[in-house]
Every structure is written in C-alpha cells, then in structure tokens.
Amino acid sequence: MENNSIAIPFYKWIETKSKIKSYPFLFALFLMIASLLLVTPKFSIFNPDSMGWSTVKLKSNDLTNSLTTIYRKNWNAKKVFRLTVPVIMRITHAKPLAILILQYVLGFFTILNLYKLAYKITEDPVTSTFTAAGIVFLYFGRAAFYDIEFAWFDGFTFFCLITALYSQNFIIIFLLSSVAAWTDERGFIALSIVLLYHQLKNLNLSEITIKSLLLPQKNSIAVISAVACYIAVRLSLTHLYNMHTPSGDANYLVLQKTLPYLGIGMWTFIEGFWMMVLFSFILMLKNKNYLLGFLLLSVICLFTLIAGCVLDVTRSGSFMVPVLFIFLLYLKNNINKENLRKLLLASFIFSLLFPPFLLCLDPDWHLNALFQFPFYIHLFGL
C-alpha cells in the first residue's frame, strides 16, 4: 500500500533512534517541550493566593478542616478529602510554586512511563512511540503542565495511575494507588482500571473466564488493599471530624445539562484513540471475546456517566485513559505488528491535530479557559 511505503522509513528511523539507551528519556523531554509549545499554559495567571491555592493551604494547615466556610456549590468545597498535596505541604512546608514545579517533574515522568509501559506491553518502540505521543496531546498528557490556576493536581493522579500500571512492586503499587485516591475521588474510581489491568495482564485475553477474573493476582491485592484503606480512613474521618464532600453540581440533575454536549465531551476524553477502541470492540465481537468486551465497555460507560454528572466533562472523563493499555494488551496478541503500528499512528495524528479543547459547562469559565493556545498566541497577547 502507498501509505505503508511512506510510513516504513519513518518506522525504521524510530527503530534506529530507539536503540540509543537514552531514547525514552530524550523522547519524553521532546514531547514535554512540544506539548508546552503547542499548548502553552498562561503562566501569568499563577497566583498563590487564588481561591484554589488558598483552599489547599487551608487544608495543609488543618487536614481535618471540613471546608464548610466555602460556598457548598463552589468546586473548592469538594477538596475536603483531597489530602495528598496538603499533606506534602504540611510535611515539607513547600510553597505553591514548589508544588507546581513538582507537578511538572511528575508530568515529565508520566510521559516517560507512558512510553515504558507501552513498550513493556508491545516490545515495539514504534508502537510505544505513537502511543505515548498521542496521549501527550490529550488532556491527560498535558494536565500536569496546564494546571496553573485551579490547583486540581491531576498531574499527581495521572502519574500515580500510569506508574501503578507499570510497576511490579507490591508496596509501590499500594502507595501509588493510595496517593491517587487521596488526590481526587476520580483517581479512586480509576483504581478500578489499575485493578483490572493487573488482573488481566498475565492472562490470555481471548480466553478469560469469570473464574480467572475473580482469582486475585498479587499486584491486584495491592490495589484492593489501597482501596480498603482509603475507604476505612475516609469513613473514620467522616465519623470523627464530620468531614463531608458536598454533592452539589455532581449528580444526575447535572446530566440533564451536560447531555447535549456529551458527544463532543466523550471525544475529548481520548480523541484519536477512539479508533483504537472501536477497532478493538469490533475484533472482540468477531473473536467472540464477549466477557472482555463487556468489562471494557462497562469502564467506558462508567467514566462517561461520571463525566456527564459533573460540569468539568473533559477532565472527569480523562481519568479513564489508563484503560487504553488494556486495549493495547488485547491488540498486541490479536493483530500483527504492522497493523498495530498503523492504528496507533492514526490515533496519534488525530490527537495531535484536534484543537486542545477542555469541555466545562461552568458558567464562570471563559473562552481562554476552554481552549489552550500555543506560545505564539500568548506572545501576541503580551
């Protein structure tokens, strides 16, 4: 095919470069710089005294503060149990700028681990390159660099989720899963993907059974332990200190508002990787892998429903990105290497070309918050 003849020199170039020991590090650095150039955060809006950062500092000073002084429908009031960064600030006395720098460092290592995880699954530097590059240009890949003003700390959560997938160490997986859960409730829900990945990675995905799924693997137990500890501690904090997360603007009534926009919202979760997902589901139907298809479809539906029940649709749906590595596990053993490369190349191109758009229906958001612009636009602004 003509497209194949064009792509082959590109594949060979990547294969040659990937033989350099420092390739993953240099590639991650290149992607980080490219992301910052194409989707440049507006650094001038950084304000350590903004409401978002002030709430985090309030929690760091009093970890059991229930934040009842904040208007209950304000999203900052939902930071009651988001204790990861407040604990870090309390222990280290780190200032907001130091936390921001730390999140950038974690953003870099997230990119590095995206490549290493994809390579661990496929053992192919070309496929791994396209996978990591495509995810970098999703909200998931740029979150650590974009979060200047709001103090969401998605960069912390995403690093923990990807590294928990990559790690083989029981203690590390437990700690990373715990940190993800205590950074954001959506990170806690995303542990279901980490659990499913560790349950499936050593199985033949074309022949999984309910029995094999219910037999806990060692690394799965680490995730289950983190989940159990999180629930126990959270319930204890609720009982002892009357800590509660307000549910305003996070319920089925919000779904009525977001439903007309949920189509474009779903696209922004994984953008070009929907081709990979759709192709996988077609293959599962063809191969009669119904149980696996049902599990993965359930994950997608769960995160779509969660995203539809809150105003920050793109951000919430992006927590399902780790499920792409389960699809990668399946495709690696069910299609040949050349077709997998083509599929991931197409996913990368569509993700790169789609404008960096963050769907959020909060009426207080302005256009500059929804679209993230490249560096030269900010220069024109100056």
Side-chain angles (χ1 to χ4, degrees):
M1 293 178 62
E2 184 179 355
N3 288 340
N4 199 32
S5 64
I6 295 174
I8 285 178
F10 187 37
Y11 296 163
K12 289 184 177 179
W13 183 83
I14 294 175
E15 288 173 338
T16 300
K17 296 298 181 181
S18 67
K19 292 177 182 177
I20 302 173
K21 188 175 181 179
S22 59
Y23 174 79
F25 181 91
L26 295 175
F27 178 60
L29 184 61
F30 168 78
L31 286 179
M32 178 179 175
I33 295 171
S35 175
L36 288 170
L37 290 177
L38 295 177
V39 184
T40 309
K42 194 173 183 180
F43 295 104
S44 61
I45 65 175
F46 172 66
N47 177 11
D49 296 317
S50 68
M51 188 170 185
W53 284 105
S54 295
T55 304
V56 176
K57 288 187 284 186
L58 178 62
K59 286 294 294 183
S60 70
N61 292 328
D62 180 10
L63 296 175
T64 60
N65 193 310
S66 59
L67 302 181
T68 53
T69 57
I70 300 175
Y71 178 54
R72 306 313 284 165
K73 287 194 174 183
N74 186 289
W75 60 270
N76 284 290
K78 296 181 174 64
K79 294 184 176 182
V80 177
F81 291 102
R82 299 174 187 178
L83 299 177
T84 294
V85 174
V87 167
I88 293 173
M89 293 178 71
R90 186 179 181 88
I91 294 174
T92 65
H93 304 288
K95 302 298 182 184
L97 181 59
I99 296 297
L100 199 62
I101 293 172
L102 175 59
Q103 184 164 233
Y104 266 61
V105 173
L106 293 180
F108 167 79
F109 281 103
T110 300
I111 299 172
L112 180 63
N113 288 342
L114 285 169
Y115 174 85
K116 292 169 70 175
L117 177 58
Y119 186 81
K120 186 176 183 179
I121 294 170
T122 66
E123 299 179 337
D124 177 32
V126 178
T127 302
S128 306
T129 294
F130 295 150
T131 302
I135 294 176
V136 164
F137 296 105
L138 308 179
Y139 171 77
F140 187 98
R142 64 176 182 270
F145 316 124
Y146 170 76
D147 185 16
I148 302 292
E149 178 182 8
F150 302 109
W152 290 330
F153 308 125
D154 292 338
F156 284 78
T157 311
F158 295 162
F159 165 78
C160 289
L161 293 174
I162 293 301
T163 310
L165 293 181
Y166 178 74
S167 178
Q168 292 295 314
N169 185 285
F170 183 96
I171 300 298
I172 291 176
I173 294 172
F174 172 81
L175 292 175
L176 290 169
S177 299
S178 299
V179 171
W182 288 108
T183 306
D184 194 289
E185 288 79 3
R186 284 158 288 205
F188 170 73
I189 298 171
L191 292 182
S192 61
I193 301 175
V194 180
L195 174 62
L196 185 59
Y197 175 84
H198 284 296
Q199 279 292 100
L200 294 174
K201 67 179 182 181
N202 295 322
L203 301 178
N204 182 345
L205 298 191
S206 297
E207 299 178 359
I208 62 169
T209 63
I210 294 177
K211 182 179 179 180
S212 64
L213 281 174
L214 295 178
L215 183 64
Q217 304 294 317
K218 178 183 176 181
N219 292 336
S220 303
I221 295 174
V223 183
I224 294 170
S225 300
V227 169
C229 288
Y230 173 82
I231 293 174
V233 174
R234 179 161 175 152
L235 289 175
S236 299
L237 291 173
T238 300
H239 176 72
L240 295 173
Y241 300 101
N242 197 31
M243 293 169 64
H244 297 276
T245 299
S247 59
D249 288 337
N251 50 57
Y252 72 94
L253 294 176
V254 179
L255 183 60
Q256 299 176 14
K257 182 177 180 179
T258 61
L259 196 57
Y261 308 94
L262 203 51
I264 183 63
M266 287 183 66
W267 170 261
T268 62
F269 299 167
I270 56 175
E271 297 180 11
F273 287 94
W274 281 114
M275 290 186 293
M276 171 187 175
V277 169
L278 180 60
F279 182 85
S280 298
F281 279 133
I282 293 173
L283 202 58
M284 289 175 198
L285 285 174
K286 179 182 177 182
N287 295 338
K288 299 182 179 181
N289 304 136
Y290 302 131
L291 179 56
L292 179 63
F294 172 76
L295 288 171
L296 295 177
L297 182 61
S298 298
V299 169
I300 293 173
C301 290
L302 171 63
F303 280 90
T304 301
L305 179 61
I306 292 170
C309 289
V310 293
L311 296 175
D312 49 351
V313 179
T314 296
R315 179 177 168 237
S316 299
S318 295
F319 281 78
M320 80 172 201
V321 164
V323 80
L324 295 178
F325 291 94
I326 300 180
F327 283 102
L328 197 59
L329 277 172
Y330 179 76
L331 289 173
K332 191 260 181 179
N333 292 316
N334 285 277
I335 62 174
N336 63 51
K337 183 170 69 174
E338 292 305 313
N339 285 333
L340 185 57
R341 286 178 171 183
K342 292 177 186 177
L343 186 59
L344 270 300
L345 175 58
S347 299
F348 157 63
I349 291 173
F350 274 87
S351 299
L352 174 65
L353 296 180
F354 185 77
F357 177 70
L358 186 64
L359 180 62
C360 181
L361 300 179
D362 191 320
D364 294 330
W365 276 49
H366 48 78
L367 186 63
N368 286 344
L370 298 177
F371 285 96
Q372 298 99 58
F373 301 100
F375 78 101
Y376 56 84
I377 296 295
H378 292 299
L379 290 178
F380 290 152
L382 292 176

